[in-house]
Amino acid sequence: MTKKVYLAGDIMSKGSQMQRQWELNEIKKKNISVYDPKDEDDINDKKNMSVEENNKLAEKIVKKDSENIYNADVVIIEPQRYAEGTICELGQLKGRRDFAKLIKEKIKNNSSIEEIEELIDTVLNQKIFAHLEDIRRTSIPEIGDRRSFYVNQYVYGVTLDLTKGKGFEEFEDILNQIE
């Protein structure tokens, strides 16, 4: 029996929110617990958020959503091509499943704990660099709809996590670091 569903899909437009709400209502009719990121007020209620909270939003989203993805028995996902955060969630699910398969294969082949730890360390120690070559990136403060550029906060949060907090770097800086 399904205990908890994670509902993943675009939530950036009113139409998408209506679609997620309909899906949520249909799941709840089955008496199944469901986590829907759009209903997470401590993330989505911008009116009651301080500047500091808003500037740590990416990390908060990744922590909360990842925790709920991992604790779900079922994930229902609509990865529309424009839904960057949802596509990132899909990649996270794929990576998690692939790694679980690797661990299971190691166990099946009677690998030692040391060999399994070596595999884990290889993944944990992999250096990941991210860059974003969009000329609209700026450190000039922008307000409201007058933003020249944005990055989906789930995608950015995963990027921060994978790059150990560095986020996007300049490509030239990355080249210098890998020499």
Side-chain angles (χ1 to χ4, degrees):
M1 170 144 179
T2 300
K3 296 176 193 155
K4 187 170 185 184
V5 170
Y6 182 91
L7 185 58
D10 181 52
I11 60 172
M12 296 302 158
S13 70
K14 286 188 181 193
S16 291
Q17 287 198 358
M18 291 170 69
Q19 174 70 27
R20 297 292 84 77
Q21 188 62 48
W22 178 83
E23 293 167 350
L24 177 71
N25 294 342
E26 293 300 305
I27 295 167
K28 284 185 172 180
K29 285 179 187 176
K30 307 270 184 202
N31 292 318
I32 296 171
S33 174
V34 60
Y35 177 80
D36 182 356
K38 78 171 175 43
D39 291 337
E40 201 52 55
D41 285 341
D42 65 324
I43 291 171
N44 298 319
D45 185 3
K46 306 294 188 242
K47 292 176 185 155
N48 293 314
M49 192 176 293
S50 70
V51 172
E52 185 178 324
E53 286 174 312
N54 194 50
N55 284 330
K56 291 289 187 183
L57 192 57
E59 295 91 335
K60 188 190 265 188
I61 290 170
V62 170
K63 182 180 186 312
K64 188 77 166 188
D65 289 1
S66 296
E67 178 182 292
N68 280 282
I69 286 170
Y70 297 159
N71 291 321
D73 299 299
V74 173
V75 175
I76 298 175
I77 189 166
E78 184 187 23
Q80 292 282 356
R81 62 182 176 79
Y82 52 81
E84 296 170 84
T86 307
I87 291 167
C88 194
E89 289 172 325
L90 188 66
Q92 183 180 38
L93 289 161
K94 170 74 169 125
R96 186 171 187 242
R97 180 160 293 171
D98 285 351
F99 193 69
K101 286 178 183 178
L102 283 173
I103 296 292
K104 194 164 191 160
E105 188 66 27
K106 289 275 187 193
I107 293 168
K108 182 177 149 189
N109 291 330
N110 294 317
S111 297
S112 68
I113 293 293
E114 291 80 19
E115 290 172 308
I116 294 171
E117 284 180 331
E118 186 178 314
L119 172 64
I120 291 167
D121 288 342
T122 299
V123 172
L124 290 175
N125 294 325
Q126 181 181 38
K127 292 288 277 176
I128 299 171
F129 297 94
H131 70 99
L132 196 56
E133 302 300 323
D134 190 301
I135 64 169
R136 297 169 295 174
R137 286 181 69 207
T138 181
S139 58
I140 299 169
E142 296 176 324
I143 299 169
D145 291 329
R146 298 190 180 275
R147 298 183 192 281
S148 52
F149 178 75
Y150 88 98
V151 175
N152 176 281
Q153 291 300 287
Y154 192 87
V155 172
Y156 186 56
V158 170
T159 302
L160 286 169
D161 187 46
L162 292 174
T163 61
K164 298 183 178 170
K166 286 186 173 183
F168 298 113
E169 300 179 72
E170 297 302 319
F171 187 74
E172 293 77 17
D173 295 336
I174 293 170
L175 287 176
N176 292 333
Q177 292 177 67
I178 63 172
E179 287 184 310

